[in-house]
Amino acid sequence: MAENEFEQFLSESFREGVYFRELRLSEKEVLSLKEHYPQASIQKTSEVNDAFSKSWYEINLMPIEKKSETLESIRHENTRLKRELESLRKLKK
């Protein structure tokens, strides 16, 4: 997949407030995704098992910070969830 095609694929995959997806990607595509979204959480969920050398990954563009639950971290998560709900409401209309 060409770089601009992959950028379009990412844009379509994470449009309209979607922050979490499971995608089948090659190692090169994972590296490109890390360049576009350096804060993203990327976890491999399967091993390579096809002719295209791709594996399944869980991608979260807005991962929760790995801190103990302080009042500030709870407020941050609350704000993030409000934004996500608002995006989904706009999508439903």
Side-chain angles (χ1 to χ4, degrees), residues 37-75:
Y37 302 101
Q39 300 297 326
S41 167
I42 303 170
Q43 293 188 1
K44 192 177 208 178
T45 58
S46 76
E47 294 301 317
V48 175
N49 60 2
D50 65 9
F52 298 109
S53 298
K54 293 187 175 191
S55 300
W56 285 98
Y57 293 86
E58 287 182 352
I59 313 298
N60 186 347
L61 299 184
M62 297 184 71
I64 299 172
E65 296 175 13
K66 306 238 188 298
K67 297 179 182 176
S68 62
E69 288 202 12
T70 63
L71 182 58
E72 187 61 32
S73 66
I74 292 170
R75 284 182 181 152

Side-chain angles (χ1 to χ4, degrees), residues 2 11 14 44 67 76:
S11 177
F14 294 105
K44 192 177 208 178
K67 297 179 182 176
H76 177 71

Side-chain angles (χ1 to χ4, degrees), residues 1 5 7-8 11-12 16-17 26 29 34 36 44 50 57 59-60 67 76-77 92-93:
M1 183 179 301
E5 289 175 357
E7 288 175 16
Q8 183 177 354
S11 177
E12 290 173 2
E16 298 176 355
S26 68
E29 291 168 337
K34 287 179 181 180
H36 286 86
K44 192 177 208 178
D50 65 9
Y57 293 86
I59 313 298
N60 186 347
K67 297 179 182 176
H76 177 71
E77 177 66 6
K92 193 174 180 179
K93 291 180 182 180

Side-chain angles (χ1 to χ4, degrees), residues 5-22:
E5 289 175 357
F6 184 68
E7 288 175 16
Q8 183 177 354
F9 167 73
L10 287 179
S11 177
E12 290 173 2
S13 296
F14 294 105
R15 69 176 177 223
E16 298 176 355
V18 174
Y19 300 108
F20 181 85
R21 296 291 302 253
E22 188 172 19

Side-chain angles (χ1 to χ4, degrees), residues 22-36:
E22 188 172 19
L23 302 174
R24 193 170 63 97
L25 304 170
S26 68
E27 288 295 322
K28 182 179 177 185
E29 291 168 337
V30 170
L31 292 174
S32 182
L33 184 126
K34 287 179 181 180
E35 288 177 18
H36 286 86

